[in-house]
Amino acid sequence: MDAVIGVLIFVIALFAVITLIRSVRIVPQQRMDVVERLGKYKRTLSPGLNLLVPFVDAVRTKVDMREQVVSFPPQPVITSDNLVVSIDTVLYFKVVDPVRATYEISNFLQAIEQLTVTTLRNVIGSLDLERALTSREEINRHLSSVLDETTGRWGIKVTRVEIKAIEPPPSIRDSMEKQMRAERERRATILNAEGHKQANILTAEGEKQAAVLKADGDRQARILQAEGQAKAIRTVFDAIHTSNPSQKVLAYQYLQALPQIANGTANKVWIVPAELTKALDGLGGALGGLANMVGDKPTEAVDSGAVEREAVAAAEAAAAEAAAVGEQVREAEAQVSGDQGPKGLPAPEPIPPSAALGSADFNGATSGRVYGSSGGEHDRA
């Protein structure tokens, strides 16, 4: 009897514990539990501590309210240019109404997958391969709008749809790689040509500037050299006129210049002054007075009396010499006339002293230049 009472008490205690456990339900954060009472929707349990009627209320589903990510397997899709491509998609969604997500559709995840595949085929079927590869943003927006509109009545919000990869066939990939390689080589060739062009332009500009600077430098050098030569000539000219050199110095300079004139194998022609007699007379006077050239200083004025005396002495000496020559001529004529008969040469007229100096005419007018013993020439009226 005691054993039966003990078993009964144990059964009652176990039932009380089970009843307590079934009547108390703790729901975690971001989860909603759908409760049915006798098979009919009763209420939705919110996060926290909730009490249920034991053996009457039951939890139908536990709905996760967080945003979920689902990656669908690659799907073969045909483009408008009849190329089969494989597309991987990623779907982001969350449940906004757990009751409709539970009762409006049996498996909303499978329904979303199939809807995504059909919508993707419709969108990609209207695009060619090149546009499909470059229009991912457009495809994502179109898929998101269609899925959000359809899944809204299921209590699901599609937040984002992303295309992970679009894989064309291997042959198409090879052709695309060749095309991209050719495009890159073309761009590289163009860039290389542009680089050579810029380098040649810069080189030409540099050479132009260098030539301009060199020409300007040559011009400045020639100008400075010409200015230096002009200044040197002007300085020499001023020094000569200031020092007033004598005829002896000029004759000596002329003699020093003769070896330089004769120097060189190309000197075939000699230019002789027109006034040869005057040049020889000056040279003779200069050679005769070389012994007295030491200490010769330029003079600013000439003593006219000394010149006159020197000229008269030279004229008398020349006249005496001319008379002696005339006497010798007469003696020779007398000898000839004595040998050949009464015929004879007429006696020469005596040469006046002024004619001996080369400055008198035979009519008796005297004008010209008188050469002194010093080699200089002076005006004589």
Side-chain angles (χ1 to χ4, degrees):
M1 188 66 183
D2 294 335
V4 174
I5 294 173
V7 172
L8 183 59
I9 294 172
F10 176 75
V11 171
I12 293 172
L14 181 61
F15 179 77
V17 171
I18 293 174
T19 302
L20 180 62
I21 292 173
R22 294 179 64 90
S23 61
V24 176
R25 182 59 60 93
I26 298 176
V27 180
Q29 186 67 30
Q30 290 294 326
R31 199 184 78 179
M32 303 289 286
D33 293 348
V34 177
V35 178
E36 294 180 349
R37 179 173 290 179
L38 300 176
K40 183 180 179 182
Y41 170 73
K42 177 62 178 177
R43 62 193 178 102
T44 302
L45 302 180
S46 60
L49 182 62
N50 296 276
L51 297 178
L52 299 177
V53 177
F55 306 105
V56 177
D57 295 338
V59 177
R60 168 69 184 272
T61 56
K62 300 176 182 179
V63 182
D64 192 352
M65 303 299 295
R66 295 173 297 179
E67 187 173 2
Q68 302 180 36
V69 181
V70 179
S71 178
F72 301 134
Q75 301 294 328
V77 181
I78 301 176
T79 61
S80 61
D81 49 355
N82 297 325
L83 293 175
V84 179
V85 294
S86 180
I87 300 178
D88 293 346
T89 55
V90 178
L91 182 67
Y92 296 83
F93 71 95
K94 65 179 180 179
V95 179
V96 295
D97 190 349
V99 178
R100 285 191 295 176
T102 303
Y103 295 104
E104 292 293 336
I105 189 168
S106 61
N107 190 344
F108 62 84
L109 189 59
Q110 184 180 2
I112 291 174
E113 180 182 358
Q114 296 301 321
L115 182 61
T116 301
V117 171
T118 55
T119 306
L120 190 61
R121 286 179 178 175
N122 292 333
V123 174
I124 298 298
S126 61
L127 304 175
D128 56 3
L129 178 60
E130 185 176 358
R131 189 178 176 187
L133 293 174
T134 58
S135 303
R136 292 193 178 189
E137 292 294 332
E138 181 181 354
I139 297 172
N140 293 337
R141 286 195 301 269
H142 189 74
L143 285 174
S144 179
S145 61
V146 171
L147 292 175
D148 189 38
E149 180 182 359
T150 305
T151 59
R153 64 175 181 269
W154 300 340
I156 297 172
K157 173 68 175 176
V158 176
T159 58
R160 192 170 183 177
V161 180
E162 291 290 341
I163 296 178
K164 289 172 56 178
I166 300 178
E167 297 292 338
S171 59
I172 301 299
R173 287 201 300 269
D174 294 340
S175 300
M176 293 173 63
E177 288 177 359
K178 292 180 181 178
Q179 181 180 0
M180 293 302 298
R181 189 181 302 111
E183 181 68 20
R184 290 190 183 95
E185 290 178 356
R186 183 182 68 85
R187 292 179 182 177
T189 304
I190 292 174
L191 291 177
N192 192 15
E194 289 290 337
H196 284 298
K197 176 183 176 182
Q198 293 295 330
N200 292 332
I201 290 174
L202 293 177
T203 302
E205 288 291 337
E207 292 178 354
K208 174 184 176 182
Q209 294 180 4
V212 170
L213 292 176
K214 185 177 180 181
D216 186 68
D218 293 339
R219 181 178 66 86
Q220 294 292 336
R222 291 181 181 180
I223 291 174
L224 293 177
Q225 186 178 4
E227 290 178 354
Q229 291 179 355
K231 187 174 181 181
I233 293 172
R234 185 167 57 251
T235 303
V236 173
F237 184 78
D238 294 341
I240 292 174
H241 280 268
T242 302
S243 61
N244 191 17
S246 63
Q247 189 68 20
K248 301 178 208 179
V249 176
L250 297 178
Y252 180 70
Q253 292 293 328
Y254 182 78
L255 289 176
Q256 285 184 338
L258 287 178
Q260 296 180 2
I261 296 175
N263 188 17
T265 57
N267 293 329
K268 303 300 183 182
V269 179
W270 282 60
I271 299 174
V272 180
E275 298 179 355
L276 181 58
T277 304
K278 188 180 294 185
L280 292 176
D281 189 9
L283 287 175
L287 292 173
L290 283 177
N292 299 323
M293 289 183 67
V294 177
D296 187 15
K297 297 182 180 178
T299 58
E300 298 181 357
V302 179
D303 189 0
S304 59
V307 172
E308 289 289 339
R309 290 191 295 271
E310 291 179 359
V312 171
E316 292 178 353
E321 185 176 356
V325 173
E327 185 65 26
Q328 294 177 1
V329 170
R330 283 194 297 271
E331 292 178 357
E333 287 179 353
Q335 293 177 3
V336 172
S337 61
D339 294 335
Q340 295 181 359
K343 276 187 177 181
L345 295 175
E349 296 181 358
I351 300 174
S354 60
L357 294 176
S359 60
D361 55 8
F362 291 96
N363 294 325
T366 59
S367 63
R369 298 182 181 272
V370 177
Y371 291 84
S373 60
S374 60
E377 60 178 359
H378 308 282
D379 292 335
R380 179 179 180 186

